[in-house]
């Protein structure tokens, strides 16, 4: 991409561990970076720190689990900033428990935030991408959507659902200059993962043939590749990035 011809990228869940690294990498690659946030208090501090670090990114509020909130946010971004060329569906939550203990709210919250959000965001940017004959849609799934995980029926179902969405939409828009791909990270060294007790972390790392956690910047690098012009023949794909934890 021509560094001076800035494409607008929207990263949902921008203020989280992976979202922050994605925003920084995409900014470094010359994108006009727009982040989405949910929790205001956290967002203010995040934006201040990003500006201090030299990242002139912008942040818009929206609940991506809700269609109307997402539609209003995207309309505001496109009015204030310009058309969204690249969408990274990254926002996500977990509510881990065995199915036998899972309530309807725990199921719905995870499906709405991790999977319905992908519909809510994509549906609201797609017509513009079709009109402009260019688009990049990158869905952040998880190794646990590929292999399943104890206590994560809701999360695994949502993350696995992204693959069907990615493959089907990729076929629908393949002739229109729009690519749709999924990234499935394994365990990444975000604050949340680093906060787990050392004993548990040791057990997690022991499952990874590379013997380490992934870096947030390693996932961000893959996002920036899939967002670039260089990835134009790749669509409907899933990229595992898990240090060999799940191979198939
Ligand atoms: N970290 C890992 O090891 C790992 C591995 C595999 C996959 N993933 C996936 O990667 C993505 C990012 O993970 P992360 O580790 O960076 O998690 P994180 O630090 O918890 O960040 C998640 C982000 O999603 C946002 N979010 C939650 N609900 C939202 C909503 N309704 N509307 C808009 N934003 C919402 C959060 O905003 P607030 O904080 O404001 O609520 C937060 O910014 C997730 O989809 C996760 O499932 C992570």
């Amino acid at each position: 991409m021509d560094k001076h011809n800035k494409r607008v990228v929207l990263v949902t869940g921008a203020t989280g561990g992976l979202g922050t690294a994605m925003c920084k990498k995409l900014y470094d690659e010359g994108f006009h970076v727009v982040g989405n946030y949910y929790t205001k208090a956290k967002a203010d501090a995040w934006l201040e720190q990003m500006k201090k670090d030299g990242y002139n990114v912008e942040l818009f509020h929206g609940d991506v689990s809700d269609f109307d909130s997402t539609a209003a946010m995207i309309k505001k971004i496109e009015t204030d900033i310009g058309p969204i060329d690249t969408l990274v569906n990254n926002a996500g939550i977990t509510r881990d428990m065995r199915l036998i203990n899972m309530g309807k709210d725990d199921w719905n919250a995870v499906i709405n935030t991790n999977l319905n959000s992908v519909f809510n965001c994509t549906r609201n940017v797609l017509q513009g991408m079709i009109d402009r004959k260019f688009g990049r849609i990158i869905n952040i799934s998880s190794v646990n959507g590929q292999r399943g995980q104890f206590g994560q029926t809701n999360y695994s179902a949502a993350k696995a659902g992204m693959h069907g969405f990615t493959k089907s939409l990729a076929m629908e828009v393949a002739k229109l200059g729009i690519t749709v791909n999924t990234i499935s990270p394994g365990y990444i060294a975000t604050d949340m993962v680093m906060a787990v007790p050392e004993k548990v972390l040791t057990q997690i790392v022991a499952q990874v043939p590379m013997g380490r956690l992934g870096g947030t910047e390693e996932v961000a690098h893959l996002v920036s590749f899939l967002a670039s012009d260089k990835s134009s023949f790749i669509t409907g794909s899933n990229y595992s990035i898990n240090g060999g934890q799940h191979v198939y």
Side-chain angles (χ1 to χ4, degrees), residues 6-10 32 34 58 60 73-85 125 132:
K6 285 194 169 189
R7 290 206 175 114
V8 175
V9 57
L10 170 61
H32 192 142
V34 178
E58 306 184 58
F60 286 71
M73 173 185 72
I74 286 173
K75 195 167 175 205
K76 185 161 174 43
I77 294 169
E78 298 209 316
T79 304
D80 292 3
I81 312 285
I84 295 167
D85 303 300
V125 299
R132 294 185 300 277

Side-chain angles (χ1 to χ4, degrees), residues 53-125:
D53 292 344
Y55 294 95
N56 192 19
V57 302
E58 306 184 58
L59 213 45
F60 286 71
H61 177 261
D63 176 359
V64 296
S65 71
D66 178 85
F67 187 86
D68 294 339
S69 173
T70 306
M73 173 185 72
I74 286 173
K75 195 167 175 205
K76 185 161 174 43
I77 294 169
E78 298 209 316
T79 304
D80 292 3
I81 312 285
I84 295 167
D85 303 300
T86 304
L87 169 66
V88 187
N89 284 310
N90 167 67
I93 58 166
T94 53
R95 288 222 190 150
D96 295 356
M97 64 198 78
R98 290 192 298 156
L99 186 73
I100 196 68
N101 297 322
M102 194 176 287
K104 195 172 79 173
D105 289 350
D106 303 313
W107 173 266
N108 286 335
V110 170
I111 299 294
N112 287 336
T113 308
N114 293 275
L115 181 59
N116 289 340
S117 61
V118 175
F119 170 77
N120 296 339
C121 292
T122 308
R123 181 67 183 82
N124 280 293
V125 299

Side-chain angles (χ1 to χ4, degrees), residues 14-238:
T15 59
L18 282 170
T20 303
M22 291 171 194
C23 288
K24 288 181 174 176
K25 176 68 180 165
L26 290 163
Y27 185 86
D28 288 341
E29 292 297 319
F31 283 85
H32 192 142
V33 178
V34 178
N36 144 259
Y37 74 92
Y38 187 50
T39 310
K40 173 100 175 97
K42 189 175 155 188
D44 289 342
W46 183 89
L47 195 57
E48 200 183 313
Q49 188 60 49
M50 288 292 270
K51 302 263 182 206
K52 262 191 206 156
D53 292 344
Y55 294 95
N56 192 19
V57 302
E58 306 184 58
L59 213 45
F60 286 71
H61 177 261
D63 176 359
V64 296
S65 71
D66 178 85
F67 187 86
D68 294 339
S69 173
T70 306
M73 173 185 72
I74 286 173
K75 195 167 175 205
K76 185 161 174 43
I77 294 169
E78 298 209 316
T79 304
D80 292 3
I81 312 285
I84 295 167
D85 303 300
T86 304
L87 169 66
V88 187
N89 284 310
N90 167 67
I93 58 166
T94 53
R95 288 222 190 150
D96 295 356
M97 64 198 78
R98 290 192 298 156
L99 186 73
I100 196 68
N101 297 322
M102 194 176 287
K104 195 172 79 173
D105 289 350
D106 303 313
W107 173 266
N108 286 335
V110 170
I111 299 294
N112 287 336
T113 308
N114 293 275
L115 181 59
N116 289 340
S117 61
V118 175
F119 170 77
N120 296 339
C121 292
T122 308
R123 181 67 183 82
N124 280 293
V125 299
L126 192 62
Q127 187 61 55
M129 289 180 176
I130 291 170
D131 294 344
R132 294 185 300 277
K133 299 239 178 330
F134 179 87
R136 294 279 184 272
I137 297 165
I138 302 162
N139 298 319
I140 308 301
S141 183
S142 166
V143 66
N144 292 343
Q146 297 172 290
R147 63 170 197 164
Q149 176 66 296
F150 186 98
Q152 289 200 323
T153 50
N154 48 5
Y155 185 78
S156 297
K159 293 302 192 184
M162 281 183 177
H163 298 306
F165 179 95
T166 294
K167 290 186 276 189
S168 299
L169 182 60
M171 289 179 189
E172 291 181 17
V173 297
K175 284 202 166 71
L176 302 170
I178 302 167
T179 66
V180 193
N181 292 291
T182 303
I183 292 175
S184 295
Y187 286 92
I188 309 300
T190 56
D191 290 348
M192 191 176 65
V193 171
M194 296 311 284
V196 305
E198 203 181 329
K199 203 175 149 196
V200 180
L201 201 57
T202 306
Q203 286 167 355
I204 290 173
V205 170
Q207 298 169 24
V208 184
M210 282 192 187
R212 67 172 178 88
L213 300 172
T216 54
E217 69 291 347
E218 290 179 299
V219 178
H221 192 82
L222 183 51
V223 169
S224 88
F225 168 65
L226 289 175
S228 74
D229 287 344
K230 293 186 182 101
S231 69
S232 57
F233 201 53
I234 301 171
T235 197
S237 292
N238 174 47

